[in-house]
């Protein structure tokens, strides 16, 4: 069973309007029709928030959030503060999450729903929306050569695949993420709904409900998968289909000099072995294990924003000070009226 991360590049038509602004930045809400060929109902519009510096733009960052909706409000804090420091900051809403939840579903659920076709649909869509968002930022001349993509949890998993496809990304920062989808499906608290489905008699294809079978097939096939090229991974019909959406299958394709991997000692959301195996595959990258949990670092976005500036080689005092400045939000209609593109 093959997966397809391709799309037809074209000039992207979009709508954009300023929703608020501060002294040093403006935030626009941008929407465009997805270029993914098979979007689920309710996910057809790509949405992102773009925080643009009012002064000189020195770098760009794209932030991919985690599964569900709760973490997004914390990550949105980063936008105005990085923009105030001169970094154009884009926060993409991934399909099936937050304001893009698909019809009759729950935020984030379908990335881990125990059906290969459903999972493939959402992983393909998430990867393609990320790539086309970079296309649009380039089109709008907002994507700088000095750039970074930060992926948290689900966002980090997608970043692994995107980073193995797209060479326009200078640095990849992974926050509290993991891989090995069999362990996530059968051990993570987040996927308790999956195990309840199995217990109630749900019988998916490809033995997704058979924990030991999946663990054994991964143990057997992973040594070969981690030697494969990108094309071999997505086209090979002998490996288990989960590998084609599993970040551990793509990690070896990354340039580790462009990678930072931050793991959380006290993470209970993702199984320890899930994080450990991806951490191991990132050998050669800058790796850090911090005394944090999966979510308790979120209120301390300042530390993450400061680290992003460091990776973008923006280390002057003025930029660091901008991260601490409070922002008084203004209506965009008070001084300038900006509607549309």
């Amino acid at each position: 069973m093959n997966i397809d991360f391709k799309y037809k590049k074209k000039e992207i038509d979009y709508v954009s309007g300023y929703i608020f602004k501060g002294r040093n930045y403006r935030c626009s809400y941008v929407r465009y029709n997805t270029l993914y060929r098979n979007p689920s109902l309710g996910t057809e519009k790509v949405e992102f928030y773009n925080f643009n510096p009012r002064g000189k733009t020195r770098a760009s960052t794209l932030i991919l959030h985690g599964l569900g909706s709760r973490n997004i409000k914390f990550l949105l804090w980063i936008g105005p503060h990085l923009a105030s420091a001169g970094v154009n900051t884009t926060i993409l809403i991934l399909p099936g999450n937050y304001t893009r939840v698909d019809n009759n579903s729950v935020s984030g659920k379908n990335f881990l729903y125990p059906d290969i076709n459903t999972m493939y649909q959402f992983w393909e869509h998430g990867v393609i929306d990320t790539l086309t968002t970079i296309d649009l930022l380039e089109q709008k001349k907002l994507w700088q050569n000095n750039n970074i993509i930060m992926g948290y949890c689900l966002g980090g998993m997608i970043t692994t695949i995107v980073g193995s496809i797209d060479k326009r990304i200078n640095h990849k920062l992974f926050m509290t993420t993991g891989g090995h989808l069999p362990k996530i499906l059968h051990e993570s608290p987040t996927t308790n709904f999956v195990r309840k489905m199995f217990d109630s008699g749900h019988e998916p294809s490809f033995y997704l409900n058979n924990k030991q079978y999946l663990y054994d097939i991964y143990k057997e096939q992973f040594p070969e998968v981690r030697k494969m090229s990108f094309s071999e991974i997505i086209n090979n019909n002998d490996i288990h289909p989960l590998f084609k959406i599993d970040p551990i299958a793509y990690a070896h394709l990354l340039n580790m000099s462009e990678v930072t991997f931050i793991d959380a000692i006290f993470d209970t959301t993702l199984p320890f072995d899930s994080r450990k195996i991806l951490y191991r595959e990132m050998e050669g990258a800058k790796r850090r294990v911090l005394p944090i949990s999966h979510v308790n670092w979120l209120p301390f976005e300042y530390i993450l924003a400061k680290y992003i500036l460091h990776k973008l080689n923006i280390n002057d005092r003025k930029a660091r000070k901008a991260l601490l400045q409070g922002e008084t939000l203004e209506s965009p209609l008070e001084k300038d009226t900006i509607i549309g593109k």
Side-chain angles (χ1 to χ4, degrees), residues 79-123:
H81 291 82
L82 282 177
S84 296
V87 181
N88 188 85
T89 304
T90 305
I91 300 173
L92 171 65
I93 306 302
L94 293 168
N97 290 269
Y98 198 44
T99 52
R100 299 184 66 196
V101 176
D102 41 313
N103 190 40
N104 292 322
S105 188
V106 176
S107 185
K109 182 178 181 179
N110 283 329
F111 279 91
L112 295 171
Y113 191 83
D115 173 79
I116 286 292
N117 290 323
T118 300
M119 284 194 282
Y120 271 28
Q121 179 185 23
F122 278 82
W123 285 85

Side-chain angles (χ1 to χ4, degrees), residues 163-276:
S164 67
I165 298 173
D166 200 318
K167 305 307 179 186
R168 295 173 293 181
I169 305 166
N170 284 358
H171 198 85
K172 279 73 69 175
L173 171 59
F174 298 90
M175 284 291 302
T176 58
T177 190
H180 201 292
L181 290 179
K183 291 186 181 294
I184 293 175
L185 289 173
H186 285 276
E187 297 182 28
S188 172
T190 303
T191 53
N192 188 47
F193 78 94
V194 172
R195 296 186 292 280
K196 285 183 177 179
M197 291 176 64
F198 295 157
D199 291 341
S200 65
H202 178 69
E203 294 188 7
S205 57
F206 301 103
Y207 305 98
L208 296 184
N209 59 334
N210 189 327
K211 177 179 177 180
Q212 194 56 54
Y213 171 82
L214 292 178
Y215 284 20
D216 289 344
I217 200 73
Y218 256 58
K219 184 177 181 180
E220 174 189 337
Q221 294 182 345
F222 184 52
E224 294 304 315
V225 172
R226 66 194 303 268
K227 298 176 186 176
M228 292 181 179
S229 66
F230 181 84
S231 177
E232 288 171 333
I233 294 169
I234 63 173
N235 292 313
N236 191 305
N237 288 320
D238 295 326
I239 61 176
H240 194 280
L242 280 180
F243 276 117
K244 300 183 182 185
I245 54 173
D246 199 321
I248 67 172
Y250 297 91
H252 68 280
L253 300 173
L254 300 176
N255 180 347
M256 294 305 166
S257 67
E258 301 172 350
V259 170
T260 299
F261 188 96
I262 298 176
D263 193 18
I265 292 177
F266 303 115
D267 187 351
T268 58
T269 300
L270 292 175
F272 174 76
D273 286 340
S274 164
R275 296 179 284 112
K276 180 181 177 181

Side-chain angles (χ1 to χ4, degrees), residues 71 97 99 123 157 224 245 251 272 280 292 310-311 334:
N71 64 97
N97 290 269
T99 52
W123 285 85
M157 299 177 191
E224 294 304 315
I245 54 173
F272 174 76
R280 187 181 65 203
I292 57 176
H310 169 69
K311 298 309 296 184
E334 287 180 1

Side-chain angles (χ1 to χ4, degrees), residues 31-137:
R31 290 183 302 164
Y32 64 94
N33 292 327
T34 183
L35 272 62
Y36 178 52
R37 66 193 177 280
N38 183 35
S40 183
L41 182 64
T43 68
E44 304 94 338
K45 296 282 186 181
V46 183
E47 303 175 12
F48 64 82
Y49 298 87
N50 193 79
F51 297 84
N52 187 239
R54 282 190 165 185
K56 180 181 179 182
T57 299
R58 305 170 66 181
S60 300
T61 184
L62 174 61
I63 295 175
L64 301 185
H65 60 79
L67 205 66
S69 301
R70 294 176 62 186
N71 64 97
I72 295 174
K73 66 179 181 179
F74 291 102
L75 295 176
L76 284 169
W77 178 96
I78 295 176
H81 291 82
L82 282 177
S84 296
V87 181
N88 188 85
T89 304
T90 305
I91 300 173
L92 171 65
I93 306 302
L94 293 168
N97 290 269
Y98 198 44
T99 52
R100 299 184 66 196
V101 176
D102 41 313
N103 190 40
N104 292 322
S105 188
V106 176
S107 185
K109 182 178 181 179
N110 283 329
F111 279 91
L112 295 171
Y113 191 83
D115 173 79
I116 286 292
N117 290 323
T118 300
M119 284 194 282
Y120 271 28
Q121 179 185 23
F122 278 82
W123 285 85
E124 287 174 342
H125 195 175
V127 168
I128 289 172
D129 280 0
T130 303
L131 295 171
T132 58
T133 294
I134 297 176
D135 291 346
L136 180 54
L137 292 172

